[in-house]
Amino acid sequence: MKMNHHVCVLINLPLVIVNIMTNAFYVFCMVCPRHAERIKQPLKFLLLSLISCTIGYLMTITVMFFFDLSESSKLTQILYLVSACTLNISMTSSVWLNLFYYTQIVPAQHALFVWIKKNIKSVIYCICLLERTFYLFDFTVVFLNDIYFSGFGFSNNFTMDHDTLMSEGRHLKWLTYIHIFETATIKAYFFFCLVVMLMSSGSTVVYLSRHVGRMVAQGHSLSCPRFRGQVRVTVTGILQGVQYAICAVWIVFNFFSQQISTSFISPYIHYTVINLYMSGTTVNLGIGMVVFRRRAADIWIRATQWRKTQQQHNKEDDTEAQT
């Protein structure tokens, strides 16, 4: 599976520009909210985590592929590690965002879910802290592996004695074992997050379906703002779950294919798949978050009014010039 570098740039450059600008707008909406539109925690933390890591991934991977850097360069190795960390955090943040919405919509019935719903803020903060600590540790291990195995710009001393070489070899072996363990853990964690995403989205769909049946039987209206908001969040959650499933399976498949053959899947194709996932996530955020939609509508209205005002001024100037 191959893709030309120029074709990759032609396909992905418009998406990257739109995604970065849109996510930057989302950050602006959260950092400078309008009156009475402040986003509460932990929703704000999850959104900032997802959006900032999405921007970080797009920027680092863009430098790598659009400028066609050498795979052996030090800058490429650093950017690859940063892009992997930001991609993982962006994807898992969408999972915990889905779980948060689930706890806000579906009434908890079992003792475990009652406790999770009651302590959802602490649960999310603890999970994210452990997750980021593990990714930081993985980043460090991979970085050390690059230093030892590829040199990473450090000179190799071939005059070291036998004991030093044996000692360093043991360190390399331990680093390799740790790296293998972390890689397997990350892939397993991806599937665990997939299960959480599917369970939370599925449970929300089942609850809302039953809730709609009860409302219709009792003659209640389905047009109340709260219910429509719940339906909208559920639909975007389902779409995000499908995107996450496809992207997670693709990442794992690409990883194992690299172990078989380094040329099996083109990195440009892999980047395009991830970029499409980022685009879908960006669209879902715009649809699901009323704060973003209202701010965009407000800016559009102001821009339209400003344009009308300018056109009116131009007409008046033309009239004065004719007289």
Side-chain angles (χ1 to χ4, degrees), residues 63-296:
V63 174
M64 287 175 58
F65 285 100
F66 287 172
F67 293 94
D68 201 18
L69 298 177
S70 172
E71 293 184 2
S72 60
S73 68
K74 290 180 280 188
L75 178 59
T76 301
Q77 294 180 24
I78 294 175
L79 290 175
Y80 175 78
L81 294 179
V82 173
S83 66
C85 288
T86 51
L87 174 61
N88 291 340
I89 294 175
S90 175
M91 293 184 66
T92 54
S93 294
S94 68
V95 174
W96 307 124
L97 183 63
N98 227 38
L99 178 65
F100 171 76
Y101 282 133
Y102 160 77
T103 60
Q104 302 304 301
I105 296 175
V106 181
Q109 297 179 350
H110 300 285
L112 176 60
F113 293 110
V114 171
W115 181 86
I116 292 176
K117 184 171 184 176
K118 184 178 180 180
N119 302 277
I120 186 61
K121 185 184 295 187
S122 301
V123 169
I124 288 178
Y125 286 157
C126 289
I127 290 175
C128 291
L129 177 61
L130 293 174
E131 177 186 283
R132 282 148 180 74
T133 302
F134 182 82
Y135 286 142
L136 178 61
F137 182 64
D138 178 66
F139 182 97
T140 305
V141 170
V142 176
F143 183 79
L144 292 176
N145 267 310
D146 284 337
I147 290 177
Y148 280 117
F149 288 110
S150 66
F152 206 74
F154 292 82
S155 60
N156 294 321
N157 186 358
F158 295 99
T159 62
M160 292 186 295
D161 56 36
H162 179 266
D163 293 337
T164 303
L165 288 172
M166 291 298 293
S167 175
E168 188 162 317
R170 286 193 292 270
H171 287 301
L172 291 175
K173 194 173 182 180
W174 278 107
L175 278 175
T176 302
Y177 289 153
I178 293 175
H179 180 53
I180 293 174
F181 169 77
E182 288 183 329
T183 302
T185 303
I186 290 176
K187 304 311 174 187
Y189 182 64
F190 260 51
F191 281 106
F192 169 74
C193 290
L194 176 59
V195 172
V196 173
M197 176 78 83
L198 295 178
M199 288 183 62
S200 58
S201 297
S203 299
T204 306
V205 170
V206 172
Y207 167 76
L208 285 181
S209 300
R210 295 175 179 175
H211 187 55
V212 168
R214 289 193 298 267
M215 292 179 67
V216 172
Q218 296 173 3
H220 294 164
S221 175
L222 300 179
S223 60
C224 63
R226 177 179 176 82
F227 179 75
R228 284 185 300 169
Q230 291 177 342
V231 172
R232 182 173 57 251
V233 168
T234 303
V235 172
T236 56
I238 294 173
L239 294 176
Q240 188 64 33
V242 172
Q243 291 178 119
Y244 181 92
I246 295 173
C247 189
V249 171
W250 170 262
I251 290 174
V252 175
F253 172 74
N254 180 67
F255 169 76
F256 284 113
S257 67
Q258 288 179 346
Q259 310 308 309
I260 299 173
S261 173
T262 55
S263 60
F264 184 69
I265 297 178
S266 168
Y268 299 129
I269 294 178
H270 178 68
Y271 169 66
T272 302
V273 172
I274 304 299
N275 197 15
L276 290 174
Y277 165 81
M278 294 292 186
S279 301
T281 301
T282 301
V283 171
N284 272 344
L285 286 176
I287 296 175
M289 293 299 300
V290 65
V291 174
F292 300 155
R293 296 198 313 276
R294 287 178 178 174
R295 194 60 174 269

Side-chain angles (χ1 to χ4, degrees), residues 26-83:
Y26 294 161
V27 173
F28 168 75
C29 292
M30 288 186 290
V31 174
C32 303
R34 296 193 308 174
H35 181 67
E37 282 192 348
R38 297 185 181 276
I39 303 175
K40 297 181 180 180
Q41 300 291 1
L43 179 57
K44 185 175 182 179
F45 169 78
L46 290 172
L47 287 173
L48 283 175
S49 177
L50 192 160
I51 294 170
S52 60
C53 287
T54 297
I55 294 175
Y57 172 82
L58 291 172
M59 293 181 67
T60 53
I61 208 71
T62 297
V63 174
M64 287 175 58
F65 285 100
F66 287 172
F67 293 94
D68 201 18
L69 298 177
S70 172
E71 293 184 2
S72 60
S73 68
K74 290 180 280 188
L75 178 59
T76 301
Q77 294 180 24
I78 294 175
L79 290 175
Y80 175 78
L81 294 179
V82 173
S83 66

Side-chain angles (χ1 to χ4, degrees), residues 2-14 66 268 272:
K2 298 292 184 180
M3 177 183 286
N4 184 274
H5 172 259
H6 297 292
V7 175
C8 176
V9 173
L10 184 64
I11 294 174
N12 290 280
L13 183 59
F66 287 172
Y268 299 129
T272 302

